[in-house]
């Protein structure tokens, strides 16, 4: 059949991935510190976007709670940073976010569509204001100091989190749970009556994605030295991953990765070159991307591939 | 095998099922017929756990299943082929079928089950790698039947499989239904197409406005004056 569309294909070969990781892991040896810091910033967005896509990609539940999980990680780092060694702090950041996501998931994942989106956004704002209130009432401060970690360490920690996230995303996607998540995104009721425990599967996946956001928050906190709720829970951490994932396309794992990387680099270039107009230019690029690349970079790659055949 | 006792189901404040009782014995084909909005789909959804009945109970193989979640009920051996099949359109035919074997114990046997489904519906094998959205209505119905079969059901419930299909296709589907039954799967069939449904049934129930108003052997239906007039047009 000519109309038969074969959709099994290798998203990107293992070789390229391996070379890419080697280059990334040796980078601090031969580039300037500025580039390492810039790449850390890029990696941060890549991890948040990728972990966002683990849950929201297949299920099509658009979550705007990323900032909540990221921010919790940041605060854990600020509170425990001086008491515990770094790896423990990062694990704690991830774990607390994981547990929080389980609770949020149990409440909100019964909502669908628009209601879910707004609820998750509300939850992350609620957490931000609760912490603000707590700090003002009981600790008597607004912000906190965070212990500083040198930028190469930050970079390597982020790289490790990225590799683990990628591995987790790959495993979930390839397993039967990946298929089940996609079936939830398509026909939740049909998914339920073929025997998928939809609520528990959604909740656990949501929590797994929150784990990586929390861990990322915990390490990124050390880059800022000073944090307050407005920095840690900035709504940008909720919105950017969604935009980046849409820009990249969510069908394949490389979509959110490259979407986030290109977006983050673009932001940096625009900020440095056009400090006054950067948001304006950013908006125009975003609109153009949505108009002309409705399926993101993944869609573009598909189109080129098809034309070649 | 399946016993439904005095089921009342509500949508909000509207009562959709009134004191419905039903019995399905092993290896039977039971047809549940009735017009639109008679409560047929509601009854199926109440049995498979998608809607919680307000009162009454559902027993399957001697154990109560009302109140369980849909995935537990599937694991007990009840599966549903929903109206229109509801395949996952952005997935391939093969992926759709594999999803049918999602429950933990069955997942390992999915390859063997898959071969059986392909044996039943060679047509699906030819389209294994095609996205389900490229299938026609009848093919979707087949796919949904295959998907249900993957879950190793003891009781398979069909929600209007003939809906919107060409007569030839309907005939083929009913043929597959009977084959499934011969394999030892009990069948509860919901249909508007009364003539077809009665033809293959061992017993039947007529549902009207959420109440069972007639039950018994198909012959009894065919001889009933009211059924003749209201449903068969003779």
């Amino acid at each position: 059949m000519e109309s038969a569309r074969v959709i099994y294909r290798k998203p990107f070969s293992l070789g390229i991935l391996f070379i890419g990781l080697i280059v990334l892991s040796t980078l601090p040896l031969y580039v300037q510190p500025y580039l390492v810091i810039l790449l850390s910033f890029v990696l941060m967005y890549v991890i948040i976007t990728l972990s966002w896509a683990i849950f929201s990609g297949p299920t099509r539940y658009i979550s705007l709670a990323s900032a909540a999980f990221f921010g919790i990680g940041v605060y854990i780092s600020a509170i425990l940073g001086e008491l515990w060694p770094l790896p423990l702090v990062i694990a704690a950041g991830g774990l607390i976010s994981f547990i929080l996501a389980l609770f949020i998931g149990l409440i909100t994942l019964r909502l669908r569509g628009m209601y879910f989106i707004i609820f998750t956004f509300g939850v992350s704002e609620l957490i931000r204001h609760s912490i603000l209130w707590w700090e003002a009432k009981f600790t008597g401060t607004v912000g906190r100091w965070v212990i500083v970690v040198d930028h190469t360490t930050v970079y390597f920690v982020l790289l490790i989190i990225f590799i683990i996230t990628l591995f987790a995303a790959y495993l979930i996607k390839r397993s039967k749970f990946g298929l089940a998540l996609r079936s939830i995104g398509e026909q939740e009721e049909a998914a339920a009556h073929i025997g998928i425990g939809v609520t528990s599967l959604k909740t656990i996946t949501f929590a797994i994605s929150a784990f990586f956001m929390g861990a990322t928050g915990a390490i990124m906190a050390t880059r800022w030295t000073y944090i307050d709720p407005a920095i840690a829970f900035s709504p940008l951490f909720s919105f950017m991953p969604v935009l980046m994932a849409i820009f990249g396309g969510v069908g394949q794992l490389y979509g959110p990765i490259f979407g986030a990387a290109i977006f983050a680099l673009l932001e940096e270039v625009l900020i440095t070159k056009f400090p006054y107009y950067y948001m304006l230019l950013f908006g125009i690029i975003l609109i153009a991307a949505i108009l002309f690349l409705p399926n993101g970079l993944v869609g573009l790659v598909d189109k080129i591939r098809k034309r070649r055949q | 095998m399946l016993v439904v006792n005095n089921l009342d189901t509500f949508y909000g404040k509207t009562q959709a099922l009134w004191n419905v009782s039903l019995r399905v014995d092993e290896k039977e084909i039971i047809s549940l017929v009735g017009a639109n909005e008679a409560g047929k789909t509601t009854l199926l959804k109440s049995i498979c756990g998608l809607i919680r009945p307000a009162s009454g109970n559902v027993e399957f193989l001697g154990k109560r299943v009302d109140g369980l979640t849909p995935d537990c009920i599937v694991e007990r051996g009840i599966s549903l082929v929903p109206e229109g099949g509801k395949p996952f359109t952005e997935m391939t035919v093969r992926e759709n079928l594999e999803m049918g074997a999602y429950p933990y114990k069955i997942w390992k046997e999915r390859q063997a089950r898959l071969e059986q489904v392909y044996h039943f519906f060679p047509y699906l094998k030819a389209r294994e790698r095609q996205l389900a959205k490229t299938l026609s209505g009848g093919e979707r119905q087949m796919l949904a039947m295959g998907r249900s079969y993957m879950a190793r059901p003891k009781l398979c419930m069909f929600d209007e499989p003939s809906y919107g299909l060409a007569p030839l296709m309907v005939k083929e589907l009913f043929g597959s239904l009977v084959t499934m039954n011969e394999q030892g799967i009990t069948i509860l069939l919901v249909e508007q197409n009364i003539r077809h449904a009665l033809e293959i049934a061992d017993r039947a129930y007529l549902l009207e406005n959420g109440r069972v108003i007639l039950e018994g052997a198909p012959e009894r239906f065919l001889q009933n004056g009211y059924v003749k007039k209201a449903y068969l047009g003779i």
Side-chain angles (χ1 to χ4, degrees):
Chain A
M1 286 288 292
E2 255 202 351
S3 65
R5 187 151 87 91
V6 178
I7 64 154
Y8 283 93
R9 50 180 133 80
K10 274 247 172 309
F12 51 107
S13 75
L14 226 68
I16 295 174
L17 179 71
F18 199 62
I19 293 168
L21 286 180
I22 288 179
V23 170
L24 280 176
S25 56
T26 52
L27 215 60
L29 297 176
Y30 44 78
V31 297
Q32 300 155 332
Y34 163 73
L35 213 61
V36 175
I37 293 169
L38 173 63
L39 277 173
S40 304
F41 173 75
V42 172
L43 271 178
M44 171 192 84
Y45 269 128
V46 168
I47 298 167
I48 300 177
T49 309
L50 186 59
S51 49
W52 178 87
I54 288 178
F55 173 73
S56 296
T59 60
R60 301 183 198 173
Y61 275 74
I62 309 292
S63 155
L64 287 179
S66 313
F69 305 128
F70 182 84
I72 290 291
V74 170
Y75 261 79
I76 294 296
S77 182
I79 295 164
L80 297 176
E82 287 181 20
L83 308 172
W84 291 6
L86 189 64
L88 264 186
V89 172
I90 292 163
L95 216 61
I96 304 281
S97 291
F98 180 88
I99 293 163
L100 182 73
L102 278 185
F103 282 116
I104 295 179
L106 282 176
I107 310 168
T108 60
L109 287 172
R110 292 173 196 279
L111 303 172
R112 290 185 195 180
M114 210 56 197
Y115 302 99
F116 176 76
I117 304 177
I118 291 167
F119 201 104
T120 51
F121 183 64
V123 161
S124 72
E125 285 296 292
L126 175 73
I127 292 173
R128 166 157 81 123
H129 287 282
S130 305
I131 288 182
L132 196 63
W133 171 81
W134 176 274
E135 296 279 69
K137 185 114 178 160
F138 298 104
T139 20
T141 56
V142 177
R144 281 169 183 270
W145 297 103
V146 188
I147 228 170
V148 183
V149 176
D150 74 286
H151 56 76
T152 331
T153 312
V154 172
Y155 174 80
F156 279 121
V157 169
L158 282 167
L159 192 61
I160 290 167
I161 298 175
F162 166 65
I163 292 168
I164 297 171
T165 313
L166 184 61
F167 193 58
Y170 177 76
L171 285 184
I172 291 173
K173 197 180 157 75
R174 285 294 303 270
S175 73
K176 72 169 186 172
F177 302 109
L179 267 183
L181 288 168
R182 273 170 62 198
S183 68
I184 290 173
E186 275 199 42
Q187 292 267 0
E188 189 154 348
E189 197 179 277
H193 64 58
I194 60 170
I196 298 170
V198 279
T199 310
S200 53
L201 182 64
K202 282 189 296 184
T203 312
I204 288 171
T205 316
F206 189 57
I208 290 173
S209 94
F211 178 87
F212 298 114
M213 295 176 188
T216 309
I219 184 67
M220 280 312 284
T222 64
R223 286 270 305 108
W224 289 322
T225 66
Y226 168 85
I227 58 132
D228 62 30
I231 298 174
F233 293 93
S234 160
L236 270 186
F237 293 123
S238 288
F239 287 111
M240 290 305 266
V242 183
L243 297 178
M244 289 168 166
I246 290 171
F247 177 67
V250 287
Q252 302 284 350
L253 286 181
Y254 68 82
I257 296 175
F258 285 102
I262 292 170
F263 244 56
L265 284 172
L266 195 69
E267 190 185 328
E268 181 70 15
V269 170
L270 289 178
I271 284 184
T272 43
K273 294 273 193 278
F274 312 96
Y276 299 108
Y277 304 109
Y278 111 88
M279 264 302 181
L280 189 82
L281 291 170
F282 205 59
I284 292 172
I285 293 170
L286 193 64
I287 289 169
I290 287 169
L291 277 180
F292 299 112
L293 295 174
N295 293 317
L297 293 175
V298 173
L300 186 69
V301 171
D302 277 359
K303 219 186 246 173
I304 293 169
R305 245 185 222 165
K306 237 186 234 162
R307 205 165 289 172
R308 262 198 214 150
Q309 276 169 5
Chain B
M1 184 182 214
L2 178 80
V3 183
V4 176
N5 290 321
N6 311 92
L7 213 61
D8 289 312
T9 300
F10 289 82
Y11 287 109
K13 282 185 178 166
T14 320
Q15 187 159 5
L17 292 181
W18 304 75
N19 200 20
V20 171
S21 296
L22 184 109
R23 200 188 79 239
V24 182
D25 291 329
E26 204 130 345
K27 310 236 163 85
E28 271 188 318
I29 298 183
I30 298 297
S31 287
L32 184 65
V33 294
N36 276 335
E37 299 182 23
K40 304 183 301 284
T41 304
T42 309
L43 179 56
L44 292 192
K45 285 186 176 175
S46 306
I47 294 171
C48 72
L50 287 166
I51 306 174
R52 265 198 198 169
S55 65
N57 61 59
V58 182
E59 271 175 35
F60 184 63
L61 297 171
K63 283 183 192 147
R64 280 187 68 164
V65 293
D66 52 301
L68 294 181
T69 52
D71 51 307
C72 293
I73 294 175
V74 172
E75 282 200 48
R76 297 275 174 96
I78 301 180
S79 81
L80 171 71
V81 178
E83 191 179 341
K86 294 222 179 79
F88 305 118
T89 51
E90 295 290 333
M91 293 190 196
T92 62
V93 167
R94 192 198 169 97
E95 284 172 329
N96 263 282
L97 290 173
E98 283 184 340
M99 272 338 282
Y102 182 85
Y104 180 71
K105 283 174 208 150
I106 307 155
W107 182 250
K108 283 174 234 149
E109 304 168 15
R110 65 186 186 284
Q111 202 52 45
R113 300 290 294 176
L114 206 59
E115 293 304 321
Q116 281 177 317
V117 170
Y118 287 155
H119 180 69
F120 267 144
F121 304 109
Y123 206 69
L124 291 179
K125 180 158 179 68
R127 313 205 156 201
E128 190 176 52
R129 298 194 152 191
Q130 230 168 294
L131 291 183
K133 68 177 172 192
T134 62
L135 301 184
S136 73
E139 291 163 0
R140 283 178 194 212
Q141 199 65 49
M142 277 184 197
L143 179 57
M145 280 172 81
R147 189 176 67 187
S148 282
Y149 185 76
M150 291 292 287
R152 211 172 50 188
K154 297 186 182 95
L155 169 70
C156 201
M157 307 192 290
F158 291 83
D159 195 357
E160 302 213 3
S162 76
Y163 182 77
L165 297 184
L168 215 61
M169 198 72 215
V170 175
K171 215 171 168 186
E172 208 179 316
L173 272 174
F174 274 66
S176 325
L177 242 152
V178 172
T179 325
M180 255 175 118
N181 182 244
E182 282 161 0
Q183 299 251 323
I185 298 172
T186 311
I187 283 168
L188 176 58
L189 170 69
V190 157
E191 264 294 340
Q192 284 198 53
N193 191 333
I194 291 198
R195 217 178 286 265
H196 269 108
L198 291 178
E199 233 163 61
I200 62 165
D202 294 312
R203 284 186 299 118
Y205 290 84
L206 176 63
L207 210 60
E208 211 173 84
N209 295 326
R211 294 174 175 87
V212 174
I213 60 165
L214 186 68
E215 59 172 288
E219 297 78 34
R220 209 178 142 197
F221 277 67
L222 294 170
Q223 286 153 12
N224 185 294
Y226 174 69
V227 174
K228 267 191 193 167
K229 207 169 125 203
Y231 292 95
L232 295 166
I234 35 177

